[in-house]
Amino acid sequence: MTLRDEARTILRDLTGVPGADFRDGQFEAIEALVADRRRALVVQRTGWGKSAVYFVSCLLRRRQGAGATVIVSPLLALMRDQLAAAERAGIRAAAINSANVTEWDETIAAVHAGDVDLLLISPERLTNPRFRETVLPSLIADLGLLVIDEAHCISDWGHDLRPDYRRIRDLIARLPDGVPTLATTATANSRVITDVAEQLGVRLQPGAAPVSSTVSAPSVSAPSMPAPSVPGSSVSSDDVFVVRGPLARDSLRLGVLQLPTSRHRLGWLLAHLDDLPGSGIIYALTVSAAEDTARLLAAHGHRVRAYTGRTDPAEREAAEQALKTNAVKALVATSALGMGFDKPDLGFVVHLGAPSSPVAYYQQVGRAGRAVETADVLMLPGPEDRDIWQYFASASMPSQAKASAVLSALAEAGRPLSVAALEARVDIRRTPLELLLKVLAVDGAAEKVDRGWTTTGVPWTYDAERYGRIAAARAAEQQAMLEYERGGTCRMEFLTDQLDDPQARPCGRCDVCLAGAGEQPWYPADVPEAFLQVAGAQLDHVGVPIEARRQWPSGMDRLGVAVKGRIPADEAVEEGRAVARLTDLGHGRALRDLFAPDTDGHPVDRPLPAVLAQACIRVLAGWDWAVRPAGVIGVGTLGRPRLVASTVSGLAQVGRLTDLGLLPLRPGAGPTTAGNSAFRLASLWDRWEVPDELAERLTGLDGPVLLVDDLVDSRWTMAVAGRLLRRAGAPAVLPLALGIAG
């Protein structure tokens, strides 16, 4: 029996279809892996059958006497789908990830006993000390096939999404000779393909002319590999076997509906969600937008659930299952629901706001229409999209100064430091700090050990060229999304051309193609007035809780602040309220305008606008406090004293509260740090003072004090200023802010 015959038999067993045969490129990739033991990169649209390549190759390698196949898979949701698919195919599969640490030993024992054919691991396992030291070596020694799924994460394009993916190059370098490697993705342009191929171990040959990575099968699309960014170099044709097919999805009807406001976009969803085919996904750009939209739709009878990075893991799994079984019409999700989510009959994808790149957009819309003739894909872009793109683009970029601070702190400690302990030594917030540590670990300058993080002694230099290239690529991708929205060419042709698909061509189904043929778009454009009113009422909602700080950060004594443990009850503030988050679909726009800096980046100080003044009054009216406040005081600030003072005086007048003015700044108070909790607290600790006259007025109040600030971020301003007021005699302190950052 030939290899093709044997592989075809396995395919038919896996699918349960007696006449099943390979699509163009599938067997060629299998042959490269199984017969030639090569490194292969498969770039094919979602639903093409990339999993069939590694499932069949896995079983063929097992028949050759090789060990288990290891798949590096980026998301727990994707792992769950892959495990279920393997089980249906009769493949013995298991997983090692953060959700099943107690099962690791049992799983590894099963792998060594030959009872596991396919093992799924997350990329984060490659930085886990226990896994790296006790599990990985034995896996490598008996590895049959290595698969990197969603391999675009290896590329610079995904550097801030999953920096752990960049460790895969080190893993590949440790593989014994003859162990084949497969990388798969549905979203890669030529730049990303070059990046991935280099990470797979491409050897650059200085001085050689560029050559192509070719395949023997004429049915396989394998365009020339683009020249690497090293002058006078080429990519060796026998390093990476590239299988690349057309990316257009015949089932998708693409469209963009430009609506003037968030009220219109939410009103459109309320009016037309049930008209969309089957069940699907509504993507939002921020967590708050996803949660607010889900809340609105559910309150008016639509079967939806929110799915974000804040969703509990068990709730995420339940939400995924509800969508797969059509128990809900839609999940309203952030990008947390993305790569690899498998529902072949997903009927629609709607974007409430545009993703920042065609690659990201294609990846998300690719969830739809895999096993149905028609699926609807509609974008409802908003004017706030660009601000959100810019925030996420800049939030995670490392800098030389921050990296040097982290490495110096680790070196000076002379012992491993936890992230919490490191926060007391470097002025970087928790999430960016954790990401920076991963980048430093991938670059070999830091290392995660059992008791925390330590430096390796390897110097780290900011790669200005690399990060400049990333920034430029992102700017170009954002511009491309704006061009996509304008609709100058066929939507599908534009997307696939952005992915450097040589077979990009007009689809004949999108709204641009229909308009060119004199036909109306496939989606309704009207928003009935009744739904506009409902959406407007939701967007006008105010009153976001501000959780009170209850615990001092660790290591404050190192920064000259002698506090630790829990904040005493008689020094703590109560739960507060804010008008809205800056990212909210409703008042978020007014708040972003209010806090927008001038052209030099300085704060603009102005009286509180009337629309936000009315919103503050409504927050007070809906506040379910135990005791009505008796006075109001503002946080003394260098940035926007006029704004805070006007808010205080207005609330005092409307609410008949004692106007206590602004909490005075100490002489010489300067700018505060915007860093992590420990440094933020230290910079605020001696910032304000309570004069005797103010203390007398506080002790004379018969109710709580409203403590007003313009923008809440870390919540330490409220905690420190509130502590001063409590110690000076205020019966209780109720924080009130105009906005919450994020």
Side-chain angles (χ1 to χ4, degrees):
M1 181 181 291
T2 66
L3 181 63
R4 178 183 282 274
D5 290 337
E6 188 176 5
R8 187 188 295 114
T9 299
I10 293 175
L11 176 70
R12 291 172 176 175
D13 290 341
L14 295 180
T15 61
V17 179
D21 207 343
F22 292 110
R23 292 186 170 128
D24 288 347
Q26 283 181 318
F27 175 72
E28 289 78 10
I30 292 168
E31 184 178 42
L33 295 168
V34 176
D36 302 330
R37 313 283 177 83
R38 293 186 64 180
R39 294 173 183 174
L41 170 60
V42 173
V43 183
Q44 293 282 359
R45 60 193 174 200
T46 302
W48 173 83
K50 295 182 288 293
S51 60
V53 172
Y54 53 72
F55 282 162
V56 172
S57 298
C58 166
L59 292 180
L60 286 172
R61 289 288 287 145
R62 291 293 276 163
R63 292 181 183 184
Q64 291 176 343
T69 290
V70 170
I71 300 181
V72 181
S73 186
L75 298 174
L76 292 179
L78 176 55
M79 280 193 185
R80 287 191 287 269
D81 285 340
Q82 289 167 322
L83 285 171
E87 182 179 348
R88 291 193 301 270
I91 296 173
R92 299 172 298 176
I96 292 179
N97 53 51
S98 59
N100 64 357
V101 176
T102 58
E103 301 171 11
W104 285 11
D105 291 339
E106 180 181 346
T107 299
I108 293 302
V111 171
H112 292 325
D115 296 332
V116 172
D117 301 315
L118 187 147
L119 179 67
L120 291 147
I121 66 171
S122 62
E124 284 75 12
R125 294 312 98 212
L126 302 178
T127 59
N128 178 275
R130 179 190 166 198
F131 182 87
R132 198 173 60 239
E133 294 167 10
T134 65
V135 176
L136 190 58
S138 58
L139 279 180
I140 290 176
D142 192 35
L143 188 62
L145 169 67
L146 176 65
V147 179
I148 302 105
D149 204 11
E150 305 295 350
H152 56 270
C153 294
I154 295 176
S155 166
D156 278 346
W157 174 83
H159 108 275
D160 59 343
L161 176 67
R162 296 305 274 265
D164 295 301
Y165 256 76
R166 291 175 54 214
R167 275 193 178 271
I168 292 174
R169 183 179 188 128
D170 299 331
L171 172 60
I172 293 171
R174 297 172 59 183
L175 295 179
D177 291 340
V179 175
T181 302
L182 170 66
T184 67
T185 181
T187 49
N189 55 21
S190 294
R191 175 178 60 80
V192 173
I193 289 176
T194 298
D195 267 347
V196 173
E198 289 177 355
Q199 294 295 329
L200 286 177
V202 170
R203 292 181 293 277
L204 298 178
Q205 301 171 341
V211 297
S212 299
S213 176
T214 58
V215 296
S216 56
S219 60
V220 181
S221 174
S224 297
M225 290 290 294
S229 57
V230 179
S233 302
S234 70
V235 179
S236 172
S237 62
D238 59 357
D239 281 307
V240 178
F241 181 91
V242 180
V243 176
R244 184 176 185 182
L247 298 177
R249 297 286 299 279
D250 294 339
S251 62
L252 301 184
R253 296 195 301 182
L254 300 175
V256 175
L257 178 58
Q258 300 278 3
L259 294 171
T261 66
S262 295
R263 185 167 69 102
H264 286 80
R265 292 191 291 278
L266 289 179
W268 190 95
L269 282 173
L270 281 167
H272 300 297
L273 177 58
D274 284 340
D275 299 331
L276 294 170
S279 56
I281 301 172
I282 302 168
Y283 278 110
L285 297 187
T286 66
V287 171
S288 59
E291 292 176 343
D292 290 347
T293 301
R295 189 179 304 113
L296 168 66
L297 293 172
H300 290 84
H302 293 284
R303 296 174 297 116
V304 300
R305 297 176 68 164
Y307 188 110
T308 75
R310 283 205 293 248
T311 306
D312 179 80
E315 293 179 8
R316 283 198 194 192
E317 188 170 357
E320 293 165 18
Q321 190 61 27
L323 181 58
K324 289 178 181 179
T325 60
N326 299 316
V328 294
K329 178 67 176 179
L331 295 185
V332 187
T334 62
S335 58
L337 181 67
M339 293 178 291
F341 178 77
D342 185 18
K343 178 177 168 58
D345 63 341
L346 196 78
F348 65 88
V349 171
V350 174
H351 276 80
L352 193 64
S356 61
S357 79
V359 176
Y361 186 60
Y362 179 87
Q363 189 272 324
Q364 290 177 351
V365 303
R367 306 270 66 80
R370 293 175 54 185
V372 292
E373 290 187 5
T374 300
D376 292 343
V377 173
L378 183 64
M379 180 189 293
L380 305 174
E384 68 277 4
D385 295 349
R386 295 183 222 189
D387 293 337
I388 296 171
W389 296 348
Q390 184 59 36
Y391 171 79
F392 285 116
S394 59
S396 60
M397 282 290 193
S399 70
Q400 181 71 60
K402 290 181 178 180
S404 297
V406 169
L407 294 173
S408 295
L410 292 174
E412 291 168 4
R415 58 181 175 81
L417 294 176
S418 67
V419 175
L422 195 52
E423 277 188 301
R425 292 166 166 81
V426 294
D427 188 11
I428 307 173
R429 294 190 181 185
R430 175 66 61 91
T431 299
L433 176 58
E434 290 176 333
L435 181 60
L436 178 55
L437 285 167
K438 286 186 175 184
V439 171
L440 293 173
V442 169
D443 291 341
E447 184 178 18
K448 187 177 183 182
V449 295
D450 285 337
R451 297 174 304 283
W453 288 86
T454 184
T455 179
T456 63
V458 175
W460 190 86
T461 303
Y462 181 78
D463 190 344
E465 187 278 330
R466 175 172 178 255
Y467 291 114
R469 185 176 72 244
I470 294 171
R474 285 175 170 163
E477 289 168 344
Q478 292 172 11
Q479 185 60 40
M481 286 307 298
L482 297 177
E483 293 178 19
Y484 176 82
E485 292 174 19
R486 286 191 285 269
T489 60
C490 164
R491 307 252 186 225
M492 182 62 75
E493 182 182 21
F494 184 91
L495 284 181
T496 52
D497 184 66
Q498 284 290 311
L499 290 166
D500 298 317
D501 183 354
Q503 301 185 49
R505 58 179 55 87
C507 68
R509 300 176 306 279
C510 71
D511 54 357
V512 174
C513 288
L514 291 176
E519 300 179 28
Q520 293 298 312
W522 55 264
Y523 48 82
D526 66 302
V527 184
E529 181 62 31
F531 293 103
L532 278 175
Q533 293 179 6
V534 171
Q538 167 70 16
L539 292 171
D540 202 33
H541 173 77
V542 294
V544 180
I546 303 174
E547 185 180 355
R549 288 284 188 179
R550 299 300 182 195
Q551 188 90 11
W552 301 116
S554 302
M556 290 307 303
D557 56 329
R558 292 181 55 85
L559 300 176
V561 179
V563 292
K564 63 180 180 180
R566 288 187 62 81
I567 300 175
D570 58 358
E571 296 182 0
V573 301
E574 306 299 315
E575 181 183 78
R577 294 289 186 276
V579 171
R581 300 182 184 90
L582 264 64
T583 55
D584 283 353
L585 295 175
H587 289 282
R589 182 63 184 272
L591 289 170
R592 290 193 298 272
D593 290 343
L594 178 65
F595 295 124
D598 63 19
T599 55
D600 295 323
H602 301 133
V604 177
D605 192 20
R606 59 177 76 104
L608 184 67
V611 64
L612 292 175
Q614 289 297 320
C616 286
I617 294 171
R618 290 171 49 225
V619 170
L620 297 186
W623 200 331
D624 55 347
W625 46 52
V627 179
R628 187 182 189 278
V632 56
I633 189 170
V635 175
T637 173
L638 296 174
R640 301 183 185 89
R642 191 178 176 194
L643 173 62
V644 176
S646 66
T647 305
V648 169
S649 60
L651 291 175
Q653 181 178 358
V654 171
R656 299 187 300 279
L657 307 173
T658 299
D659 187 343
L660 300 170
L662 298 183
L663 182 63
L665 291 163
R666 289 185 182 275
T672 61
T673 177
N676 63 35
S677 282
F679 277 81
R680 176 72 170 168
L681 177 59
S683 72
L684 295 168
W685 191 250
D686 293 318
R687 186 168 181 77
W688 300 278
E689 59 185 3
V690 179
D692 291 343
E693 180 184 354
L694 176 58
E696 290 177 7
R697 299 181 73 188
L698 288 170
T699 55
L701 294 175
D702 58 0
V705 176
L706 279 177
L707 176 60
V708 175
D709 200 4
D710 53 357
L711 185 63
V712 166
D713 191 352
S714 69
R715 293 174 286 135
W716 285 117
T717 293
M718 292 296 198
V720 173
R723 174 180 179 271
L724 281 177
L725 298 176
R726 293 296 309 276
R727 289 167 66 94
V733 174
L734 299 169
L736 173 66
L738 300 176
I740 297 178

